[in-house]
Amino acid sequence: MAVSNSSAKQNIMQRLAAVSALAPTNQTSANAWQASSPEQALARFEQSLVAAHADVIILENAKQLSACLQELQQQHQWQTALCGEGGEWSEVFSLALAEHLQLNHFLQPFEQLKTALFESTDVTFTGCAAGIADTGTLVLKPSADEPRSLSLIAPCHVAVIKVSQIVDNFSQLISEQHWHKGLPSNVVLISGPSKTADIQQTLAYGAHGPSQLIVIVINGE
């Protein structure tokens, strides 16, 4: 016997009403991957990113960052770069690279920078709000200091993250950053270079964003 539309709708509404809104979160948290040590979390973070074709560089401390950036510039022969006006590492980016390439800051509205971003910027630099070890994911919270476009357009994106910012899984990230009290207005999750297999299921990098992702992990102060 066919079920009437009103009866089917009533059944659906009854099933929805019976489900606790907190149940899926608890279940996800219980099944999420957890590291037994910070070293294991860092290893998983690195392995997951490398598996997604990202490059990962681990530094012993922040003092090594400037030399690392200069070495990358020489290695890739970057001529033009863009970084935010603020952000935790903005000053380091400027001091390390200003004499080695044309480093611009995101000071103008996007419309005024759009042509340069799409046509003549080799690399962009940002910090990170967090990292997820389980999936090798960078968490960026774009702001006026580091706009979202910095991670989406140029051929290469270099992101700097401290090992203390890496959490085990997404549930831990939400809990530690108190997302349940107020979701961030803008979050970008990056798990490797931009890629697509839309055309004939052939995997191609860089069609919709950076074809290269370099992650610099600061493993110390």
Side-chain angles (χ1 to χ4, degrees):
M1 178 182 293
V3 179
S4 67
N5 289 339
S6 60
S7 177
K9 180 179 179 180
Q10 186 177 11
N11 289 337
I12 292 172
M13 296 305 295
Q14 288 176 344
R15 291 175 63 184
L16 288 174
V19 176
S20 167
L22 297 178
T25 301
N26 292 340
Q27 183 178 2
T28 302
S29 179
N31 296 329
W33 180 85
Q34 292 183 317
S36 59
S37 66
E39 291 77 16
Q40 186 184 33
L42 176 57
R44 175 108 171 190
F45 182 69
E46 179 183 13
Q47 291 166 4
S48 298
L49 279 166
V50 171
H53 288 222
D55 297 317
V56 181
I57 300 170
I58 299 177
L59 304 180
E60 293 181 359
N61 54 64
K63 294 179 181 178
Q64 298 177 334
L65 180 56
S66 293
C68 177
L69 293 170
Q70 292 169 8
E71 184 174 339
L72 285 171
Q73 187 275 325
Q74 288 293 316
Q75 179 182 349
H76 295 276
Q77 289 297 297
W78 295 322
Q79 300 300 314
T80 55
L82 186 67
C83 68
E85 173 62 8
E88 183 173 7
W89 306 105
S90 176
E91 185 175 356
V92 179
F93 298 149
S94 298
L95 292 174
L97 296 170
E99 295 182 358
H100 301 275
L101 48 65
Q102 180 182 333
L103 179 63
N104 298 315
H105 292 82
F106 210 118
L107 297 174
Q108 298 86 8
F110 173 74
E111 289 299 324
Q112 296 180 19
L113 281 172
K114 184 167 62 176
T115 300
L117 256 174
F118 277 94
E119 298 180 5
S120 60
T121 298
D122 295 329
V123 57
T124 53
F125 298 92
T126 72
C128 297
I132 302 173
D134 185 19
T135 53
T137 301
L138 304 176
V139 181
L140 275 61
K141 291 183 179 178
S143 65
D145 288 336
E146 288 190 330
R148 181 178 58 179
S149 305
L150 284 171
S151 64
L152 302 179
I153 299 173
C156 180
H157 173 209
V158 177
V160 180
I161 184 172
K162 293 181 290 190
V163 73
S164 59
Q165 294 177 290
I166 300 173
V167 299
D168 291 347
N169 53 65
F170 191 64
S171 296
Q172 185 181 0
L173 172 73
I174 292 174
S175 176
E176 291 192 358
Q177 297 196 357
H178 307 292
W179 286 18
H180 59 287
K181 294 181 179 178
L183 287 172
S185 60
N186 194 352
V187 173
V188 177
L189 304 178
I190 303 173
S191 298
S194 173
K195 54 184 176 293
T196 180
D198 288 348
I199 301 175
Q200 296 183 338
Q201 296 185 338
T202 300
L203 187 61
Y205 290 87
H208 306 300
S211 60
Q212 186 174 28
L213 173 66
I214 300 175
V215 181
I216 302 176
V217 182
I218 309 294
N219 190 16
E221 298 299 328

